């Protein structure tokens, strides 16, 4: 009798390079290296940083259990194509709306106050 393979251990929220896959159900455009939408959490500094498609962002975060809040967000102010600016606006709004998260294997989901997924990421090797 063969046993079922064990599920992959979840990637930790902190110190993982999370590549954006979807925001509000829409697919994120592919990017490469530092120019792909992503997010990272630094537990020592309690700082969240990332790239939103056009601009670099950073802010503070607080995590308690599965609750997650990001605050004092700031970003550079570069302009980009209409498509990328639309993605960036949706992505930054999703971060502001985040109230909790869940990790399943190498997938991170950010959830709003109603438990709806506002952004989905996949763990990648640090770029």
């Amino acid at each position: 009798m063969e046993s079922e393979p064990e599920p992959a251990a979840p990637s930790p929220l902190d110190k993982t390079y999370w590549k954006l896959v979807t925001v509000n159900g829409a697919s994120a455009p592919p990017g490469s290296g530092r120019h792909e939408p992503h997010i990272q959490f630094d537990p020592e500094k309690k700082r969240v940083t990332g790239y939103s498609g056009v601009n670099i962002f950073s802010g503070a975060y607080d995590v308690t259990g599965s609750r997650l809040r990001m605050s004092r967000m700031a970003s550079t102010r570069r302009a980009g194509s209409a498509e990328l600016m639309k993605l960036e606006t949706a992505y930054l709004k999703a971060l502001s709306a985040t109230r909790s998260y869940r990790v399943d294997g190498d997938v991170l989901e950010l959830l709003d106050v109603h438990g709806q997924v506002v952004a989905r990421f996949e763990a990648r090797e640090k770029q």
Side-chain angles (χ1 to χ4, degrees), residues 5-126:
E6 295 209 17
S11 296
L13 176 68
D14 297 325
K15 295 186 175 183
T16 297
Y17 179 97
W18 295 104
K19 179 190 181 303
L20 181 66
V21 177
T22 63
V23 61
N24 295 322
S27 294
S32 62
R34 294 186 336 207
H35 296 289
E36 66 183 5
H38 68 274
I39 195 166
Q40 291 178 280
F41 298 88
D42 182 337
E44 285 85 28
K45 296 179 182 176
K46 288 293 183 192
R47 300 288 299 164
V48 57
T49 58
Y51 181 70
S52 54
V54 178
N55 289 288
I56 296 167
F57 65 86
S58 66
Y61 77 98
D62 181 52
V63 64
T64 305
S66 65
R67 292 186 339 200
L68 172 64
R69 294 287 307 256
M70 289 171 261
S71 61
R72 299 188 306 272
M73 299 299 282
S75 72
T76 55
R77 305 287 289 174
R78 294 177 35 204
S81 70
E83 180 183 347
L84 286 177
M85 294 304 294
K86 183 178 176 182
L87 165 72
E88 178 169 277
T89 299
Y91 184 18
L92 295 176
K93 282 183 180 179
L95 297 182
S96 294
T98 297
R99 296 297 177 266
S100 63
Y101 77 97
R102 65 180 166 230
V103 175
D104 184 12
D106 285 339
V107 175
L108 165 65
E109 294 179 326
L110 301 182
L111 311 169
D112 67 11
V113 69
H114 304 292
Q116 299 297 309
V117 175
V118 294
R120 182 173 285 119
F121 302 81
E122 289 182 355
R124 298 278 197 248
E125 288 187 29
K126 192 170 179 177

